[in-house]
Amino acid sequence: MILYGWTLTGSSSGVLGKLTNIDISGLVEDEIDVTNADSTDQWNEFESGFKDPGVIRADLLFDASNLETILSAFAGSNETWTLAKDTKTYTVTGHIRSASLALPLRSAGTHPIEIRCSGAPRFLSSSSSSSSSSSSSSSSSSSSA
């Protein structure tokens, strides 16, 4: 049973822990200025360019038994990260860019971490009553989104 909602798991590192906060930010798309002398009524024109998958900032609930796992995940190499809750998953490739430890006196301790994402993220939400074949087709359609 997941008490705090989402769990963070690395494809190489394994389960890092339960999350108390998640912030996915920085999803941006570059613009390419294609304005030229023939642009209609002298309006600037733009096309979409490269996309930046951004950063995931999250607070892992402190668990002393996960300290070694968190430290080994802070190796600098990319791996696939999965944030999961119930039938929802958010998956992205990336590396842990920063990790720290916060132990307040009057609340639960956390490990604030930051994952620098690389490549296209995927979000999948499927009904628990769905068959595995319909989950597979959802998965392939969500990766093209």
Side-chain angles (χ1 to χ4, degrees):
M1 181 168 135
I2 299 173
L3 297 175
Y4 293 94
W6 294 81
T7 300
L8 178 64
T9 305
S11 59
S12 300
S13 304
V15 175
L16 291 193
K18 294 173 176 57
L19 299 169
T20 60
N21 291 305
I22 304 168
D23 176 26
I24 301 171
S25 61
L27 292 162
V28 296
E29 182 176 68
D30 293 337
E31 295 178 334
I32 301 168
D33 187 347
V34 295
T35 308
N36 61 64
D38 294 329
S39 293
T40 306
D41 295 329
Q42 298 178 331
W43 282 98
N44 288 331
E45 297 176 309
F46 299 92
E47 291 183 4
S48 63
F50 288 107
K51 296 161 187 65
D52 186 329
V55 174
I56 296 172
R57 288 178 189 85
D59 293 334
L60 290 163
L61 188 62
F62 175 73
D63 181 346
S65 65
N66 285 348
L67 285 172
E68 285 298 319
T69 305
I70 293 168
L71 289 174
S72 66
F74 190 60
S77 58
N78 280 356
E79 63 181 287
T80 301
W81 294 98
T82 302
L83 287 84
K85 179 182 180 187
D86 303 325
T87 60
K88 297 178 270 309
T89 58
Y90 184 86
T91 307
V92 69
T93 300
H95 64 276
I96 295 181
R97 182 160 74 175
S98 69
S100 56
L101 177 60
L103 295 172
L105 295 176
R106 295 183 178 234
S107 61
T110 60
H111 298 281
I113 64 163
E114 184 176 280
I115 297 172
R116 179 59 168 117
C117 302
S118 177
R122 289 180 299 266
F123 181 74
L124 176 63
S125 179
S126 60
S127 168
S128 58
S129 61
S130 297
S131 70
S132 61
S133 62
S134 65
S135 293
S136 298
S137 63
S138 307
S139 168
S140 60
S141 66
S142 70
S143 62
S144 63

